């Protein structure tokens, strides 16, 4: 029986208990939420260890399935290698030798030539330079006038460059405020100004004016490797003293296709969903070739294995022992692989390759259309996966036990890893399966640990409560299954 006062207080007690329940959520919910929130925060802020983990997975994909080289090799390299140095002499060579190389490539019918060198200083081996040196020696006086009357080596190279489209290298430089000359390429921009997003340099180091004027284009040769110094992307555009400039590979593509204007589409442009945000560059189009980029205007490199058939020694061009058919209608890069010239780069496929090889692979990728793209939705999709599957696994650990949760979680991880590989191998899309999977594993381990602690706590509580009143075997049974502790007892048929 209950008097009126107790009957009135009972609903208030229930409300108080309900309020305390709301104020104290279950521990497993708190721990799951904390682990998921930490995982999401780390992915959003993307510290170096998280980024390196993701990049290492993409490197592994590329090693498993490198891009297959075009057997026609539309891009060829004239290599200043050790053999050519032994034949011609130490570097730098007289630019009259460079002029001979350009002339022979023009005779062979090359489509365009890109020089992966910065010819910023006058040739010290030109006749006028030698004449200045000869003036200080009286015995050389008879030849001073003759030397001074000869055209400079730079003039010879500039004259050779007028026979075909030639692209010269320039470099963004942080130590100067020198503004570059206007680029030979023009740009049409849809959306936000790409100079807001692309790599920026306060100044530039350019080719000699006589050479720059004779060139069909000038392109930046700057590299922007990751923290581990591996070149995984190549910029297509850079900003030099607030001037938008193409890079060497993009300029070679433009001159080779005979295109004047490159079209840049950024956030806010037609067909770009940015939801009012400045999300960066989306694509660069040269002629009919559309190049997808990251937000900073860099293109992910889908490397193929280095192939010696892509290169020919510069010495063979100079001595005429090459086959002109190897260069007819092709894009040609002039660069150096000799160790002493220090133009070596690390890639996901090799610890050391010539820098000109990276440019060649970039142009081949542009021509083939086999790009590597990190979709704009990739980060959001990975975060959604780790939150959804992590919450599911945490709930299964609580309700169905660790084994069921492990099976479901493992199936989800296998599915996302398979999907990531298929997206890479079939479409060149980069989705990270590892970080979301590790996050789900962390949620599972935290939930399993809490479940284990709760089980052990219940076991110890039962033993302490009943150890003095029941036989030890019965206490062990109750500790193993605390749910048997219920009022009313049990009815059984027994034999005594």
């Amino acid at each position: 029986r209950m008097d009126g006062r107790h009957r009135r207080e009972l609903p208030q007690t229930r409300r108080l208990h309900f309020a305390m329940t709301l104020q104290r959520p279950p521990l497993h919910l708190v721990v799951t939420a904390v682990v998921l929130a930490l995982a999401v925060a780390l992915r959003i802020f993307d510290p170096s260890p998280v980024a390196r983990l993701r990049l290492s997975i993409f490197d592994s994909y590329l090693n498993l399935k490198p891009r297959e080289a075009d057997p026609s090799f539309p891009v060829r390299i004239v290599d200043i290698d050790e053999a050519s140095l032994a034949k011609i002499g130490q570097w730098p060579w007289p630019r009259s030798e460079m002029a001979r190389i350009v002339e022979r490539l023009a005779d062979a019918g090359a489509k365009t030539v890109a020089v992966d060198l910065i010819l910023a200083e006058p040739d010290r081996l030109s006749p006028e330079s030698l004449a200045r040196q000869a003036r200080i020696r009286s015995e050389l006086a008879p030849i001073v006038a003759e030397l001074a009357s000869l055209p400079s080596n730079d003039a010879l190279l500039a004259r050779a460059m007028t026979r075909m489209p030639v692209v010269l290298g320039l470099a963004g430089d942080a130590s100067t405020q020198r503004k570059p000359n206007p680029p030979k390429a023009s740009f049409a921009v849809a959306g936000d100004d790409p100079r807001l997003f692309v790599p920026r340099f306060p100044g530039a180091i350019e080719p000699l004016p006589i050479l720059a004027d004779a060139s069909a284009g000038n392109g930046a040769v700057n590299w922007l490797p990751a923290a581990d110094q591996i070149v995984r992307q190549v910029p297509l555009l850079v900003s030099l003293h607030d001037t938008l400039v193409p890079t060497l590979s993009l300029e070679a593509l433009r001159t080779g296709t005979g295109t004047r204007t490159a079209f840049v589409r950024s956030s806010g442009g037609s067909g770009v969903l940015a939801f009012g945000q400045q999300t960066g560059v989306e694509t660069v189009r040269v002629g009919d070739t559309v190049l997808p980029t990251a937000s900073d205007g860099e293109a992910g490199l889908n490397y193929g294995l280095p192939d010696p058939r892509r290169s020919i020694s510069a010495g063979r061009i100079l001595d005429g022992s090459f086959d002109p058919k190897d260069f007819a209608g092709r894009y040609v890069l002039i660069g150096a692989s000799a160790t002493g010239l220090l133009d070596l780069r690390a890639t996901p496929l090799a610890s050391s390759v010539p820098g000109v090889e990276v440019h060649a692979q970039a142009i081949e990728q542009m021509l083939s259309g086999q790009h590597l793209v990190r979709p704009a939705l990739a980060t959001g999709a990975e975060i959604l996966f780790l939150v959804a599957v992590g919450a599911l696994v945490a709930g299964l650990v609580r309700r169905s036990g660790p084994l069921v949760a492990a099976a479901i979680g493992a199936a989800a991880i296998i599915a996302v890893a398979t999907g990531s590989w298929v997206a890479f191998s079939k479409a060149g899309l980069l989705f990270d399966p590892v970080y979301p999977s590790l996050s789900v594993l962390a949620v599972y381990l935290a939930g399993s640990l809490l479940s284990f602690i709760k089980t052990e706590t219940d076991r110890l509580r039962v033993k302490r409560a009943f150890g003095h009143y029941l036989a030890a075997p019965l206490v062990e049974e109750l500790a193993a299954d605390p749910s048997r502790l219920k009022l009313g007892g049990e009815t059984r048929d027994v034999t005594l």
Side-chain angles (χ1 to χ4, degrees):
R1 297 179 59 186
M2 185 180 299
D3 60 22
R5 180 173 60 82
H6 288 95
R7 284 196 299 270
R8 287 193 301 271
E9 289 177 353
L10 184 58
Q12 296 178 0
T13 303
R14 288 178 177 172
R15 285 197 298 270
L16 179 60
H17 175 72
F18 181 68
M20 293 177 64
T21 302
L22 289 180
Q23 293 173 1
R24 294 183 179 179
L27 181 60
H28 72 279
L29 288 181
V30 174
V31 172
T32 300
V34 169
V35 173
L36 288 177
L38 181 60
V40 170
L42 282 174
R43 183 60 192 84
I44 292 174
F45 290 104
D46 203 25
S48 179
V50 175
R52 289 191 182 186
L53 177 64
R54 180 172 62 255
L55 294 175
S56 67
I57 296 304
F58 298 154
D59 291 348
S60 299
Y61 283 175
L62 199 54
N63 277 274
L64 290 172
K65 193 176 187 298
R67 178 178 57 83
E68 295 183 4
D70 187 337
S72 66
F73 291 103
V75 181
R76 300 301 296 265
I77 297 172
V78 175
D79 187 9
I80 302 171
D81 56 3
E82 298 291 351
S84 59
L85 291 180
K87 183 180 297 185
I88 308 301
Q90 68 179 16
W91 186 261
W93 295 339
R95 288 185 190 150
S96 56
E97 298 296 305
M98 296 290 293
R100 290 175 57 204
I101 292 176
V102 171
E103 288 173 345
R104 293 191 175 183
L105 293 175
D107 292 337
K111 184 172 291 187
T112 189
V113 172
V115 181
D116 185 23
L117 303 166
I118 301 175
L119 307 177
E121 301 292 337
D123 185 0
R124 61 181 178 82
L125 299 177
S126 283
E128 72 274 14
S129 298
L130 297 177
R132 285 195 299 270
Q133 299 175 31
R135 288 191 182 96
I136 65 176
R137 297 181 60 180
S138 57
E139 66 271 21
L140 298 178
I143 66 172
V144 169
E146 183 176 354
L147 286 173
S149 66
L150 295 175
S152 70
N153 292 343
D154 294 315
L156 294 177
L157 178 56
R159 184 189 308 165
M161 289 166 55
T162 61
R163 297 186 54 189
M164 63 179 304
V166 176
V167 177
L168 296 180
L170 56 84
D173 185 43
S175 63
T176 180
Q177 297 287 330
R178 185 185 305 165
K179 184 177 182 179
N181 292 314
K184 301 293 180 76
S186 61
F187 296 97
V189 177
D192 295 321
D193 188 343
R195 291 176 297 178
L196 299 173
F197 316 109
V198 301
R200 306 183 69 180
F201 298 90
I205 300 175
E206 294 187 283
L208 283 173
I210 187 175
L211 300 178
D213 292 342
S215 68
N218 300 312
V221 298
N222 296 86
W223 298 105
L224 299 170
D228 55 7
Q229 298 303 305
I230 295 177
V231 179
R232 299 181 178 89
Q233 299 184 110
V234 60
L236 300 183
L237 305 165
V238 296
S239 176
L240 307 180
H241 198 82
D242 210 30
T243 300
L244 191 64
V245 176
T247 53
L248 188 72
S249 53
L250 183 68
E251 192 71 336
L253 178 67
R254 184 189 67 81
T255 57
T257 56
T259 305
R260 171 66 179 172
T261 302
F263 295 87
V264 184
R265 191 174 67 165
S266 304
S267 52
S270 174
V272 180
L273 296 177
F275 303 103
Q277 302 297 313
Q278 293 182 326
T279 56
V281 180
E282 293 285 331
T283 59
V284 177
R285 179 166 65 86
V286 176
D288 296 328
T289 304
V290 179
L291 308 174
T293 71
S295 60
D296 57 0
E298 295 193 56
L301 287 172
N302 190 3
Y303 283 101
L305 294 173
D307 195 314
R309 293 174 295 176
R310 186 181 286 115
S311 301
I312 186 170
S313 175
R316 292 185 57 194
I317 304 294
L318 290 170
D319 65 19
S321 63
F322 71 103
D323 185 357
K325 294 179 181 179
D326 289 340
F327 296 93
R330 287 180 166 87
Y331 294 77
V332 181
L333 286 158
I334 299 176
S337 70
T339 304
L341 302 185
L342 302 178
D343 187 23
L344 300 175
R345 301 288 182 265
T347 74
L349 300 185
S351 60
S352 178
V353 299
V356 68
E357 170 80 17
V358 180
H359 286 301
Q361 298 244 11
I363 299 172
E364 281 188 3
Q365 175 180 319
M366 295 175 187
L367 297 174
S368 68
Q370 300 177 34
H371 303 290
L372 286 185
V373 180
R374 173 84 169 152
L377 55 80
T379 299
E382 292 159 6
I383 291 176
L384 179 62
F385 171 83
L386 74 88
V387 171
V389 177
L392 175 63
V393 167
L396 289 173
V397 168
R398 181 73 175 176
R399 294 179 177 274
S400 305
L403 291 179
V404 174
I408 299 298
I413 290 173
I414 292 173
V416 75
T418 302
S420 173
W421 169 252
V422 171
F424 168 82
S425 60
K426 300 298 184 183
L429 300 178
L430 299 175
F431 289 92
D432 177 18
V434 174
Y435 182 79
S437 300
L438 291 177
S439 300
V440 171
L441 178 61
V443 171
Y444 171 79
L445 293 176
S448 298
L449 179 61
L450 284 178
S451 178
F452 174 78
I453 293 173
K454 182 179 181 303
T455 300
E456 289 300 310
T457 302
D458 291 343
R459 183 189 301 272
L460 292 175
R461 185 163 54 244
V462 169
K463 286 185 175 182
R464 285 196 300 267
F466 295 95
H468 298 291
Y469 308 105
L470 300 177
L474 185 55
V475 172
E476 290 295 334
E477 290 185 23
L478 293 177
D481 185 11
S483 64
R484 296 178 62 185
L485 288 172
K486 57 185 178 180
L487 297 177
E490 296 180 359
T491 301
R492 293 185 181 181
D493 292 332
V494 299
T495 300
L496 303 179

